[in-house]
Amino acid sequence: MSTSTGGWHADEDLLSRYVRGDAGPVAAASLEQHLLRCASCRDRIAAHVPVPLLDAAWERVRDEAVAGRPRRLERLLVRLGVPAPDALLVATAPSLRTSWLVGLVVTLVFVGLGAAYGGDRGLTFFLLVAPLVPVAGVAFAYGPDADPSHEAALATPYPATRLLLLRTAAVLAASLPPVLLAALLVPALSWTAVAWLLPALSLTAALLAASTWVRPTVTAAALGAGWTAAVTSASRAADPTAVLAPALLVAYAVLGCLALLVLALRSRSLTTLGSPS
Amino acid sequence: MRAGPADEDAALLAALADGDLAAMRRLYERHAPWLSARLLRRCNDPDVVADVLQDSFLALWRGAERWRGDGEVAAWLWGIAVRRLVSRLRGRRAAVVLPLEEEADPGTAPSAEEVALLGVEYGDLGSALLRLSPEMRAVVQATVLDGLSTRQAARLLGIPAATVKTRLHRAKAHLRRELAGGLA
Ligand SMILES: [Zn+2]
């Protein structure tokens, strides 16, 4: 520290001559060694350095730092062992944050509803919304409607199907746990608290398969309308949990598998969702 | 005495590694001024110096350079900056004038103040350095004081690596003679 220099510090004149290049080689070399160890002389030299140069460089540093700021999610994924390019593309999905937020809001709403009403009304609402949360998330995770960096993301040689599945997995991982938590907090749901996962996954698979032809947002709207009709009619007839009858659960599973098969067969021709090549 | 500045620099580097832009701003305020002054003495093109500052701080931000937590932060930062300068200078030697060689007029005797200053920092080595030719002193400065490799020093000075080696060899022999003979 400064004690090692025997109390010597550069005066303003030397600092000013050094910055102008007039200090002479010996004084300059000495001052440079001193500056490495003396914070007070480093602070004082700032007054002699041209401000425009420093400001211009800082503005560029700041702009590039903000533009290239690695996302927290991306860092987390890399830390969990996901390869860096995968992590980048997953983290840039616009709906990841959204689907997590939606999941959280749904959680809060159901905790509230379950506490206030319980019974059939809360149950119908839950069955209506819960399976559609991942569908909405996936619809906005990938595709021309959702992703402003879509073009850029696909400009790199990266398999579109891999990206699609990665982002779907990420959306499911982000959106299902909060909804599941909400379901477990509503006593009226009992076993349906878990059974809704089957139609949710089946609908998501159907979305992926259909989206090899049509925009995912269009498909998601159609699936949402269909599911809403099914739940409301079941609710009016007698029991909203009829949409989770054992026979129907088997049908969801079969449909889901069929959808995944279609996706696998069509994945080779898939460039972007909704716009097959 | 060990307190403040070094600890604050280390804390700022840690915050910067966590993506704290304000910490980088603070670190920039503390170190960019003297770094730019020192860089301007190696390269008198302010645009290149601004580019080097930008490269260096972005390297910190992106984690390309990691502080291992020992030694002086300032010396470590200078090591980063001078290497970025060398890589920026690749292929544009003509644009660069080295103030050190330019001003080191052999006819000008070093002032008493200069000798005293050098004595403070380098002891007897300082006065011996004074009696080197400007060419040899430039090589000693780039390699010994700035910590560059022979190849990097060659790029910075715009001379062949072999010339750097020869001059450094001669300079060391010269210094050894000076230190052995002139002490008493
Ligand atoms: Zn000082």
Side-chain angles (χ1 to χ4, degrees), chain A residues 8-29:
Chain A
W8 180 85
H9 290 287
D11 58 24
E12 296 301 319
D13 178 57
L14 174 61
L15 292 175
S16 147
R17 280 190 292 126
Y18 171 75
V19 172
R20 285 201 314 268
D22 290 341
V26 179

Side-chain angles (χ1 to χ4, degrees), chain A residues 93-167:
Chain A
S95 70
L96 277 186
R97 194 166 295 177
T98 320
S99 67
W100 193 82
L101 278 176
V102 168
L104 204 66
V105 168
V106 169
T107 306
L108 294 173
V109 166
F110 280 114
V111 170
L113 280 179
Y117 299 103
D120 276 4
R121 241 162 119 186
L123 195 59
T124 304
F125 191 42
F126 176 84
L127 288 174
L128 199 64
V129 177
L132 294 179
V133 170
V135 172
V138 171
F140 285 100
Y142 189 84
D145 287 335
D147 192 345
S149 65
H150 190 65
E151 297 296 320
L154 288 176
T156 54
Y158 192 91
T161 314
R162 186 178 167 81
L163 174 58
L164 171 64
L165 293 177
L166 270 171
R167 283 194 176 170

Side-chain angles (χ1 to χ4, degrees), chain A residues 2 5 7-10 31 34-35 37-42 44:
Chain A
S2 51
T5 65
W8 180 85
H9 290 287
L31 179 58
H34 178 75
L35 285 174
R37 282 174 285 116
C38 182
S40 112
C41 285
R42 288 200 296 264
R44 285 190 300 117

